[in-house]
Amino acid sequence: MGERIKVLLVEDDGDSRELLAELLEPEFDVSTATDGVAGLKAFEAEHPDVVVTDESLPGMNGTELAQKVKEREPRARVILVSGYTQVQGSEHCDVVLRKPIDVERLSAALGRLGDEARH
């Protein structure tokens, strides 16, 4: 077993963020950010394998964040979480998951994308 997959979770809702981080931490190395701007700073500082971002964030939305992440590190993977099925700009994301999040599906996607990001 190599190092655990590093995940950056960007979510402005504190309760959702903490709950999700708690659910993912047994399997992944999780760090969090409260909005898109903070998410981008955290991405640059920590170089996670996969970014999980909510679409509706203050300041910079999830698809904008995804675009900036890909510009900086094309191998990084992005999972966009949205309440809508059609999201403008979602072509910058590797996976789009509907809210409410199915944690098992999210974990499976994280494992797969984390491996891709490393190879």
Side-chain angles (χ1 to χ4, degrees):
M1 243 342 249
E3 279 184 42
R4 299 203 309 170
I5 290 166
K6 285 175 74 170
V7 175
L8 171 62
L9 184 59
V10 187
E11 165 64 77
D12 58 325
D13 180 82
D15 292 341
S16 306
R17 190 175 60 245
E18 281 172 28
L19 178 66
L20 204 51
E22 214 167 278
L23 292 168
L24 295 173
E25 271 165 352
E27 275 185 81
F28 305 101
D29 190 357
V30 183
S31 55
T32 61
T34 51
D35 61 42
V37 176
L40 189 59
K41 282 189 184 136
F43 179 80
E44 289 171 338
E46 296 164 30
H47 308 287
D49 302 301
V50 188
V51 177
V52 179
T53 180
D54 193 57
E55 169 56 14
S56 38
L57 294 169
M60 182 194 308
N61 67 25
T63 44
E64 286 175 279
L65 174 61
Q67 195 174 349
K68 290 182 173 8
V69 160
K70 294 284 190 178
E71 281 166 10
R72 285 159 176 75
E73 179 50 75
R75 282 175 50 187
R77 297 294 186 253
V78 181
I79 296 176
L80 183 73
V81 177
S82 171
Y84 309 99
T85 28
Q86 294 302 312
V87 182
Q88 214 177 348
S90 62
E91 66 274 6
H92 300 292
C93 309
D94 297 282
V95 174
V96 178
L97 292 178
R98 285 287 309 267
K99 282 183 165 179
I101 295 182
D102 176 332
V103 176
E104 281 177 18
R105 279 186 63 194
L106 178 61
S107 281
L110 282 170
R112 190 181 80 241
L113 294 173
D115 283 342
E116 283 177 17
R118 295 176 165 200
H119 295 106

